[in-house]
Amino acid sequence: QVQLVESGGGLVQPGGSLRLSCAASGTDLSISLMAWYRQAPGKERELVASISSRGSTNIVASVKGRFTISSDNAKNTVYLQMNSLKTEDAAVYYCAVVARRVGNLRSTDYWGQGTQITVSS
């Protein structure tokens, strides 16, 4: 079974920075994509950033220049560096991973528990 554990959420002032981490645990995993989603109250869930196992990244326009996604494939961990945070960035951030068991053909989507980002003061 695959488990995603997120960390790094919390309260930050506008203009501040936070770094989110998401570690995927499991045996014989082959991860093809890692991503961060967020959902603010009353808003739809949106994709914030993604990174492939090859290092190819996608960043949503609203956070370009402020957020950076990176990964450590050896540790099955994805990071989201969030700089110059704005009040509109406040949301629950979810880690998502597309992965398969080594030797299998079918990939499965896995989701973290979510971590709250509050931008205030």
Side-chain angles (χ1 to χ4, degrees), residues 55-75:
S56 179
T57 61
N58 288 289
I59 307 290
V60 70
S62 60
V63 304
K64 282 183 178 178
R66 300 188 296 117
F67 291 10
T68 302
I69 188 169
S70 61
S71 64
D72 184 338
N73 290 338
K75 297 181 178 180

Side-chain angles (χ1 to χ4, degrees), residues 12-18 62-67 81-89 119:
V12 66
Q13 299 180 45
S17 298
L18 286 173
S62 60
V63 304
K64 282 183 178 178
R66 300 188 296 117
F67 291 10
Q81 179 66 47
M82 310 164 68
N83 298 327
S84 302
L85 282 161
K86 305 175 180 179
T87 55
E88 53 261 43
D89 295 319
V119 185

Side-chain angles (χ1 to χ4, degrees), residues 2-6 22 35-38 45 94-97 109-114:
V2 176
Q3 181 181 6
L4 305 183
V5 179
E6 302 179 28
C22 175
W36 290 97
Y37 290 78
R38 68 184 181 186
R45 184 185 64 183
Y94 296 92
C95 174
V97 171
D109 298 339
Y110 301 95
W111 291 87
Q113 79 279 9

Side-chain angles (χ1 to χ4, degrees), residues 33-53:
L33 186 76
M34 294 179 280
W36 290 97
Y37 290 78
R38 68 184 181 186
Q39 187 166 23
K43 303 291 185 180
E44 296 180 348
R45 184 185 64 183
E46 66 170 339
L47 175 65
V48 178
S50 66
I51 183 168
S52 74
S53 61

